[in-house]
Amino acid sequence: MRIALRLSVVIVLLLLSCKHEGKAKKIEEPQRGLVAESAMVVSARVEASQIGIAILKKGGNAFDAMMATEMALAVTYPYAGNLGGGGFLVYRLTDGTKGALDYREKAPLASNRDMFLDENGNVIKGKSTVGSLAVGVPGTIAGIFKAQERFGVLDVKTILQPVIDLANKGYVVTGQQANRFKNYDSIFRVVNKKEIYFNKNIKKGDRINNSPLAETLSRIAENGRDEFYKGETANKLVEFLQSHGSIITLEDLSKYEAKWRDPITFQYDNLTITSMSPPSSGGICLNQIMTMVEPFDLGDFGHNSLKSIQVMVEAEKRAYADRSFYLGDPDFVEIPSETLLSEVYLENRMKDFSFNRSTPADSISHGEIMGYESEETTHYSIVDQFGNAIAVTTTLNGGYGSKLYADKLGFFLNNEMDDFSSKPGEPNYYGLIGAEANSIAPEKRMLSSMTPTIVEKDGEFYMSLGTPGGSTIITSVFQTILNVHEFGLTMQEAVNAPRFHNQWLPDEIRMEPNGFAEKLINQLESLGYKINQTRSPVIGKVDGILILEDGRLEGGADRRGDDTAVGF
Ligand code: DON
């Protein structure tokens, strides 16, 4: 059954990829990503994956490799890799212990709920997305230090030295990167009031370095995490930010702490899925969606078939409607997680689902719970030779965050304030609607969709995965898990497969262009679904690691980007 299913999925994928060539290709063997014996790093840049592996080869573990990989991404992938942003870690230790770390940015002490509204109460366009007011207090350095201090085995200088060398020696710019520098050149000039180092003159194949960042990292290697939050780097950062009108102070930086959180863990068939808890919506939404689809026989319906897409999209709609109303920073709002995740509640949410027609978004609101008061991120997965596995998603929010570049320190600042709901009911950059639970307040963390996820099968580690993609993160992770578990794809095929997404509002299914047959799209349209193939040319950029039956590791590095798996 599985083999027949696999074959039909491969045929569909091949036919779609041959669509423009007008000829059929012969059916090939399952397409595997890199296979390694004992350890692997999959990230958005080859240098970052290589440095992570080099740290493992020095005897470090996944948490040491996390620090090195994350900082190597800050050097080579300034689009999303960062010191000026934040993120989430989900881990599973070799003894099966699971946990999560929240190093999400926070709203500055001087922020307030209406800070992005004009005198008439309307959202001022751009204020939460570009420039200094968009910046949340960064959490990345606090996060990588907290994880490494608790679980790592190497000293920080050993871990950071190869990254500092990389920043000094430089790296070769890829075609995708050169295009981005060109496309963002004019906004960089407007925000920074001058040309910055990353500009339109950088060409594919150029080698570029970042000595200010090398110096910042050297100070951090020498003085530890407090260098960023209380030391010379903190002073320079606040001086820079305030010269651009920011409300972030030294007090904001010195008060910042990353936080251990209990992750969200749930069952789906014989899988145990562990993902990020609030202030990310990822774990709760993934749990809701997977519980809503579990009663349906998706494997029989077929990969990306009409019926599978209907069930998956309708579950997504309902979960995103709940997200918009109930979810926010758990340190500030009460989240009725138990009810939101209960089988009775979720079964009830799907009661009005029918295969005969789309449920219109305006007929779906958040579920009633009695007594309740009311493009760019980056992901990497690491499995070490000791059996520890981590999934980490980190971000500046938009590409290059607020576009504000601290040139003397060598990094961009996030625009994470836009992940708050500036005004109830008003969509943010990702079209997500929010409510009171995600309003701005001093020191509050903005709601995220980041979904770093660890999957166990029959109690053993099975998969580590995650992705960028704003609101599409949750649905991309969801689809990738199902691609492996229900539809029998390899890790690489699961990552390659065309993706679709529904987030309740707007009332449409976003689909990657050229990924779905016209007949299928017509069928969906005739059932009342609106299809949008233009909003997201690419949905997600998933990086994952899967355990094969013989115990080896398979990497899935998304070809939508420059992502690369390295292993041994
Ligand atoms: O935390 C979030 O949900 C967003 N700031 C993530 C942004 C993102 O994934 C951008 N990538 N395309």
Side-chain angles (χ1 to χ4, degrees):
M1 181 63 216
R2 263 286 152 81
I3 291 171
L5 183 68
R6 249 207 70 78
L7 207 63
S8 62
V9 170
V10 172
I11 292 170
V12 171
L13 290 177
L14 281 172
L15 287 177
L16 284 168
S17 66
C18 299
K19 219 168 87 174
H20 301 293
E21 294 167 30
K23 57 179 183 213
K25 279 187 188 162
K26 71 175 181 351
I27 294 174
E28 285 156 12
E29 284 293 291
Q31 199 195 344
R32 289 237 175 260
L34 178 77
V35 173
E37 292 295 325
S38 40
M40 190 175 282
V41 180
V42 190
S43 82
R45 285 287 304 202
V46 62
E47 299 86 349
S49 300
Q50 282 166 342
I51 280 190
I53 284 294
I55 292 298
L56 295 181
K57 284 190 170 164
K58 276 191 181 140
N61 66 18
F63 300 90
D64 300 307
M66 171 185 175
M67 180 177 259
T69 304
E70 181 123 355
M71 288 301 97
L73 286 167
V75 173
T76 55
Y77 194 58
Y79 191 48
N82 66 83
L83 278 74
F88 297 106
L89 152 76
V90 172
Y91 64 83
R92 181 187 187 275
L93 304 181
T94 185
D95 67 2
T97 312
K98 293 177 292 263
L101 181 65
D102 162 8
Y103 54 100
R104 181 71 161 165
E105 299 91 326
K106 292 173 84 166
L109 288 158
S111 63
N112 68 74
R113 60 173 281 149
D114 297 334
M115 63 187 276
F116 298 124
L117 304 184
D118 65 16
E119 60 280 10
N120 302 317
N122 297 320
V123 173
I124 304 168
K125 211 168 172 284
K127 215 174 170 185
S128 65
T129 52
V130 188
S132 65
L133 288 180
V135 182
V137 182
T140 296
I141 294 296
I144 58 175
F145 270 86
K146 205 165 182 109
Q148 198 275 337
E149 257 163 36
R150 180 160 171 198
F151 295 117
V153 292
L154 297 182
D155 66 283
V156 169
K157 281 190 191 161
T158 306
I159 298 170
L160 289 182
Q161 195 54 50
V163 186
I164 296 166
D165 294 344
L166 176 67
N168 277 322
K169 280 194 207 128
Y171 56 96
V172 176
V173 173
T174 66
Q176 285 203 9
Q177 241 175 342
N179 281 340
R180 283 196 291 260
F181 291 143
K182 196 163 114 214
N183 294 340
Y184 282 84
D185 184 87
S186 53
I187 181 105
F188 287 161
R189 280 167 200 265
V190 171
V191 172
N192 293 281
K193 302 188 178 72
K194 61 178 186 190
E195 179 175 90
I196 64 165
Y197 181 66
F198 301 103
N199 61 50
K200 64 175 182 322
N201 301 318
I202 298 176
K203 301 274 175 308
K204 177 183 173 186
D206 286 354
R207 175 174 285 275
I208 59 172
N209 64 4
N210 189 339
S211 39
L213 184 52
E215 281 169 30
T216 303
L217 289 170
S218 299
R219 286 196 304 274
I220 291 173
E222 191 62 38
N223 305 323
R225 64 84 79 192
D226 278 358
E227 167 62 32
F228 188 89
Y229 292 96
K230 295 175 182 165
E232 184 186 332
T233 303
N235 288 323
K236 284 187 166 161
L237 179 57
V238 168
E239 196 186 319
F240 168 80
L241 281 167
Q242 291 185 353
S243 74
H244 282 270
S246 170
I247 54 175
I248 292 179
T249 61
L250 276 174
E251 193 185 354
D252 279 306
L253 287 181
S254 68
K255 284 186 88 172
Y256 186 87
E257 287 291 344
K259 280 191 139 179
W260 296 108
R261 303 269 185 200
D262 289 331
I264 301 287
T265 297
F266 62 96
Q267 285 297 127
Y268 179 94
D269 293 349
N270 59 342
L271 304 183
T272 307
I273 295 167
T274 301
S275 193
M276 195 60 216
S277 46
S280 179
S281 60
I284 288 192
C285 288
L286 188 65
N287 184 342
Q288 286 197 304
I289 295 170
M290 293 195 79
T291 306
M292 282 190 267
V293 305
E294 197 173 8
F296 298 88
D297 209 339
L298 296 176
D300 274 356
F301 294 164
H303 179 248
N304 283 354
S305 66
L306 178 65
K307 283 178 100 173
S308 285
I309 292 178
Q310 280 188 272
V311 172
M312 290 164 74
V313 154
E314 293 292 343
E316 290 172 4
K317 258 184 213 175
R318 287 156 177 82
Y320 276 79
D322 280 353
R323 177 198 195 278
S324 75
F325 187 75
Y326 290 113
L327 303 192
D329 182 346
D331 296 343
F332 284 72
V333 293
E334 187 200 338
I335 300 173
S337 311
E338 215 171 293
T339 310
L340 287 174
L341 301 178
S342 78
E343 275 181 35
V344 177
Y345 172 81
L346 292 167
E347 200 186 303
N348 208 34
R349 286 294 269 154
M350 284 295 269
K351 272 253 160 71
D352 57 346
F353 164 70
S354 154
F355 280 112
N356 298 330
R357 54 164 181 83
S358 160
T359 316
D362 58 13
S363 74
I364 296 177
S365 177
H366 55 85
E368 286 303 330
I369 296 182
M370 300 303 284
Y372 174 76
E373 298 296 321
S374 30
E375 201 135 330
E376 196 48 41
T377 298
T378 190
H379 175 84
Y380 56 94
S381 287
I382 302 180
V383 175
D384 68 22
Q385 62 276 33
F386 312 109
N388 303 300
I390 66 171
V392 183
T393 313
T394 177
T395 190
L396 290 164
N397 191 22
Y400 308 102
S402 61
K403 325 297 180 235
L404 202 55
Y405 181 65
D407 51 357
K408 303 220 163 44
L409 297 169
F411 59 85
F412 284 95
L413 276 308
N414 70 82
N415 62 344
E416 221 72 67
M417 292 297 284
D418 186 62
D419 273 351
F420 279 117
S421 169
S422 297
K423 184 181 173 184
E426 200 74 30
N428 74 352
Y429 178 77
Y430 298 103
L432 290 166
I433 310 286
E436 190 50 43
N438 190 31
S439 62
I440 305 172
E443 295 199 83
K444 189 171 170 183
R445 286 166 153 96
M446 52 298 277
L447 186 62
S448 173
S449 301
M450 290 190 276
T451 314
T453 300
I454 301 271
V455 183
E456 295 163 286
K457 188 175 178 181
D458 299 322
E460 299 292 325
F461 170 70
Y462 186 49
M463 203 190 304
S464 161
L465 79 162
T467 179
S471 57
T472 68
I473 290 175
I474 302 164
T475 49
S476 298
V477 168
F478 165 52
Q479 270 181 266
T480 309
I481 297 173
L482 291 191
N483 284 350
V484 172
H485 178 73
E486 293 282 5
F487 305 118
L489 301 195
T490 67
M491 188 77 244
Q492 188 63 54
E493 289 166 344
V495 164
N496 291 353
R499 291 192 272 266
F500 57 89
H501 166 78
N502 182 290
Q503 59 181 50
W504 176 48
L505 293 172
D507 192 356
E508 63 184 21
I509 307 177
R510 276 188 229 168
M511 289 181 140
E512 287 182 317
N514 304 320
F516 297 86
E518 214 159 294
K519 183 173 167 216
L520 175 73
I521 291 174
N522 292 339
Q523 285 171 322
L524 285 164
E525 281 172 341
S526 70
L527 293 167
Y529 293 96
K530 188 166 172 273
I531 308 298
N532 186 340
Q533 293 188 86
T534 53
R535 161 89 203 224
S536 307
V538 157
I539 296 181
K541 201 156 66 70
V542 179
D543 284 340
I545 302 173
L546 176 73
I547 298 285
L548 302 176
E549 269 175 23
D550 61 7
R552 290 182 304 160
L553 312 171
E554 184 199 350
D558 206 320
R559 292 177 189 158
R560 291 163 178 84
D562 297 321
D563 303 43
T564 310
V566 178
F568 64 85

